Amino acid sequence: MGSDLRGDTANESAVHTAEFIVSSARLTELYECAVLLRRTRLRAEEIVDEARALVAEARQHGDTERALLLEDQLEQAHARYRQVLKAYLVLCRRINEERQEILRVHLERDRLSGLSGVA
């Protein structure tokens, strides 16, 4: 019995399409997370700026005790900002890697399709 090569091609095409859909959905989820982290990063940046302004205000008014307390809070805010920034950068790097992998896979399939004569 001979095999139906067109059936294999159709199955491969369906698998490739499904893989593309899954990859696209994954990339969309990562983009959505990046948008949320970006907003969080911007808000954390605002909080650090506000804390810095409060420290400066306390110093200006000669309130050393309050300034020291606010400096501790400023350092905590800055530490949280660094955590959010690091997470944002890691996620952006991951998005770029996944996007590059999707492109690589599709270019490779296109190249192989062109060599086999399958459209």
Side-chain angles (χ1 to χ4, degrees):
M1 271 191 153
S3 66
D4 182 1
L5 294 177
R6 284 177 281 167
D8 290 341
T9 302
N11 286 339
E12 287 178 19
S13 179
V15 168
H16 296 313
T17 300
E19 288 172 348
F20 179 75
I21 291 169
V22 169
S23 296
S24 295
R26 171 79 175 141
L27 206 51
T28 298
E29 289 174 350
L30 289 174
Y31 275 120
E32 290 170 358
C33 289
V35 167
L36 180 61
L37 267 176
R38 182 178 181 275
R39 285 187 200 132
T40 304
R41 179 185 60 84
L42 292 172
R43 181 61 186 131
E45 204 172 291
E46 290 173 0
I47 291 169
V48 168
D49 290 342
E50 291 168 8
R52 192 175 290 124
L54 289 172
V55 169
E57 181 183 306
R59 286 184 185 149
Q60 184 180 14
H61 289 99
D63 193 346
T64 308
E65 188 176 320
R66 183 169 179 254
L68 289 174
L69 177 65
L70 290 170
E71 284 175 358
D72 286 341
Q73 292 177 0
L74 171 61
E75 186 52 42
Q76 290 174 16
H78 205 120
R80 300 303 177 263
Y81 170 75
R82 287 190 302 266
Q83 288 176 332
V84 171
L85 180 60
K86 182 179 177 181
Y88 179 72
L89 293 173
V90 166
L91 187 57
C92 288
R93 201 172 307 123
R94 183 69 182 145
I95 288 170
N96 190 47
E97 289 169 359
E98 290 212 14
R99 185 176 48 237
Q100 292 299 321
E101 180 62 17
I102 289 169
L103 289 173
R104 186 194 64 74
V105 166
H106 285 287
L107 289 173
E108 182 66 18
R109 285 185 186 142
D110 288 348
R111 186 184 66 80
L112 292 175
S113 292
L115 290 177
S116 67
V118 176

